[in-house]
Amino acid sequence: METQELHRGRLIDHVQLVVADLAASRRFYGAVFEVLEIPIGGEEESYFWADELFISSRDSEAALGELTGRHHLAFQAKDRAMVDAFHREGLAAGGRDNGGPGLRKYHPGYYAAFLIDPDGNNIEAVFHGEHVRSAPSVAITF
C-alpha cells in the first residue's frame, strides 16, 4: 500500500458539496483556492477535492443523485490582502457578492469577505487578525 500524508485541522474531517454544475464550481473554487494557497488535491470526471472539501456532481457515486442544500463555509486567510484577493478573484470566476472585504463585529480584528458560489452556498474568507499558529496544519501519515 502506498504511504499517504494528510494535513488536518481541529474539527472537520471532510465536507462534501454536491453541485449542479461541476465545471462552474471547479472554476469558482479553483480561483479562490489558488488565492488562498490551497491546492486542488485531485479530480476526476465527477468530482474534485481540496484539503477537507470534496465537491462532486449529482451523478457521482458518493452523491446518490441528491444535491446538498445551502451551506456556509469559511476559509482561513493568512492576511487581509488574501481576503481581498479571494473576493476579487471569486467574483471574476462566477461568484456573486455577499459582503465585500472589511472588518466585521464578530470580534476585534475579524476581517472577512463573502461570496455566493454557483450553487448558492455562502463562502467566506476570514483573517482573524495578527496571531501566531503553532503549526500550519497537522500531518497524518498512514
Side-chain angles (χ1 to χ4, degrees):
M1 177 179 219
E2 182 180 324
T3 300
Q4 297 183 19
E5 182 176 271
L6 302 174
H7 291 260
R8 294 292 187 231
R10 299 173 298 169
L11 175 65
I12 303 296
D13 184 78
H14 66 278
V15 172
Q16 179 182 6
L17 296 179
V18 181
V19 300
D21 185 340
L22 188 66
S25 290
R26 177 62 177 86
R27 279 190 303 279
F28 174 80
Y29 285 100
V32 299
F33 287 161
E34 184 174 338
V35 167
L36 296 171
E37 299 176 0
I38 301 169
I40 297 294
E43 59 188 307
E44 291 194 12
E45 185 176 319
S46 64
Y47 67 85
F48 65 94
W49 62 273
D51 206 78
E52 290 95 351
L53 182 60
F54 184 83
I55 300 174
S56 65
S57 63
R58 177 182 283 188
D59 61 349
S60 73
E61 185 177 335
L64 302 175
E66 298 291 329
L67 297 175
T68 50
R70 186 171 191 264
H71 296 286
H72 172 91
L73 300 177
F75 299 120
Q76 297 175 14
K78 67 180 181 181
D79 54 30
R80 288 181 177 196
M82 187 176 271
V83 171
D84 296 344
F86 157 86
H87 191 258
R88 181 181 61 250
E89 296 302 317
L91 287 173
R96 293 189 335 256
D97 179 52
N98 197 32
L103 288 168
R104 301 300 195 264
K105 296 180 180 180
Y106 306 128
H107 67 68
Y110 195 109
Y111 187 86
F114 300 84
L115 294 167
I116 301 297
D117 80 358
D119 281 270
N121 296 297
N122 183 27
I123 308 301
E124 174 184 1
V126 58
F127 174 62
H128 289 281
E130 296 303 320
H131 61 278
V132 176
R133 291 182 67 109
S134 62
S137 63
V138 176
I140 301 170
T141 304
F142 57 93

